[in-house]
Amino acid sequence: MCGRYVLKAGIEELKENYQATPRGTFEWRPNYNAAPSVDMPVVLQHEKEGRVIDKYRWGLVPFWAKEVNTGYSMFNARAESIASKRTYQKPFKKQRCIVPASGFYEWVKTPDGKIPHYITLKDQGLMSFAGLYEHWQGDGGQVVNSFTIITTESNDKLAPIHDRMPAILLDQEIDHWLDPANQDTEGLRDLVRPYPSDDISFYKVSTAVNNARNQGPSLIEPDEDLFSL
DNA sequence: CCAGACGTTGTT
DNA sequence: GTCTGG
DNA sequence: CCAGACGTTGTT
DNA sequence: GTCTGG
């Protein structure tokens, strides 16, 4: 699954990598410990404005929700469910986005506690998580734009640490995924699948990651781990 | 028909 | 145990 | 996802 | 808004 991730790229790198324009002026500082409920950059394609980068809240709020805090865990959407679940039907058809990431964390439970692992692409490039977004407006006029990250089965390499992983798109699939005119839901469903094992690597990191208040590049340094295992 | 839910993960 | 906050 | 709180009154 | 359950 994917309940915590890293985006260390700056805005210029995001613009360059996705050929997208930041919408408005938003502050963006790299986040080494992004948790559900925080604002993070997403890339989406508008009929008129074209491809934009915007900051949305992690944790999809359905447009029909009465309150922002629904109490549900919409920070992940199962790939197996996006076409059928009420909450994701419309987003899957017309509100797909890319969630840029440098890597993500998964925890392994051991007698010594929950040990975080940091997973990246071998080439250290940006990961393009497949995401869905939603636009919510409250009675008082408050507006919340939010997103969820699609998860799928783990590939063979990650299976030992976790049975789910985020759906990561190949570069050549991004255009298809973002195109709002693309209604080929069967073809789109085929894009959200386990990423090739050979292009993934991971290592243990400090349990400092566990507390979402902790931040900084030191979180993704390999943990020497002299005492466990 | 109306009422009520609408979600995922991990753990048992 | 379960919810909230980050 | 994990960590940390989980409550009220009255007073400053 | 839209689906499921009764």
Side-chain angles (χ1 to χ4, degrees):
Chain A
M1 63 129 31
C2 185
R4 211 76 78 77
Y5 71 97
V6 173
L7 179 59
K8 57 181 181 178
I11 190 66
E12 289 305 320
E13 190 178 341
L14 294 175
K15 284 167 65 178
E16 168 75 17
N17 194 78
Y18 293 104
Q19 293 298 302
T21 312
R23 179 184 278 166
T25 53
F26 67 78
E27 295 284 316
W28 168 242
R29 301 170 60 78
N31 193 330
Y32 287 86
N33 202 357
S37 81
V38 304
D39 289 340
M40 292 293 286
V42 296
V43 179
L44 53 97
Q45 199 160 311
H46 256 247
E47 299 280 2
K48 294 178 180 171
E49 299 170 68
R51 196 171 290 187
V52 301
I53 304 173
D54 207 345
K55 238 167 48 169
Y56 279 24
R57 179 189 298 194
W58 185 11
L60 187 144
V61 180
F63 72 99
W64 41 257
K66 291 189 178 68
E67 305 292 334
V68 171
N69 217 334
T70 56
Y72 292 106
S73 303
M74 314 268 200
F75 58 90
N76 285 159
R78 294 174 63 87
E80 300 89 332
S81 309
I82 51 177
S84 58
K85 296 289 184 182
R86 297 190 263 298
T87 304
Y88 303 128
Q89 272 177 6
K90 185 168 73 101
F92 177 48
K93 269 188 201 151
K94 310 187 253 195
Q95 297 160 194
R96 297 177 300 272
C97 64
I98 297 287
V99 183
S102 303
F104 62 97
Y105 298 111
E106 297 286 6
W107 280 263
V108 176
K109 280 188 181 169
T110 75
D112 294 330
K114 299 171 184 173
I115 308 300
H117 294 64
Y118 183 54
I119 299 106
T120 62
L121 295 184
K122 271 188 183 166
D123 67 10
Q124 298 296 303
L126 277 171
M127 287 178 168
S128 298
F129 293 159
L132 304 175
Y133 67 90
E134 187 59 278
H135 180 85
W136 181 87
Q137 190 158 15
D139 291 334
Q142 330 90 286
V143 167
V144 174
N145 291 316
S146 59
F147 71 93
T148 188
I149 294 168
I150 297 173
T151 62
T152 185
E153 286 176 54
S154 273
N155 60 32
D156 292 343
K157 180 167 287 184
L158 290 181
I161 57 173
H162 216 81
D163 62 345
R164 306 286 300 174
M165 70 181 289
I168 303 167
L169 298 178
L170 302 171
D171 287 343
Q172 65 267 27
E173 296 169 338
I174 291 176
D175 287 349
H176 298 296
W177 183 257
L178 289 182
D179 181 3
N182 186 357
Q183 303 280 328
D184 174 18
T185 50
E186 279 191 19
L188 288 162
R189 251 304 330 265
D190 290 340
L191 300 185
V192 286
R193 51 170 160 20
Y195 199 82
S197 285
D198 289 349
D199 300 332
I200 293 278
S201 68
F202 66 87
Y203 52 82
K204 290 180 191 174
V205 289
S206 159
T207 52
V209 171
N210 295 20
N211 192 324
R213 293 171 193 269
N214 292 330
Q215 280 291 336
S218 64
L219 294 179
I220 59 172
E221 283 167 12
D223 187 62
E224 292 309 321
D225 192 44
L226 294 174
F227 299 103
S228 66
L229 289 187

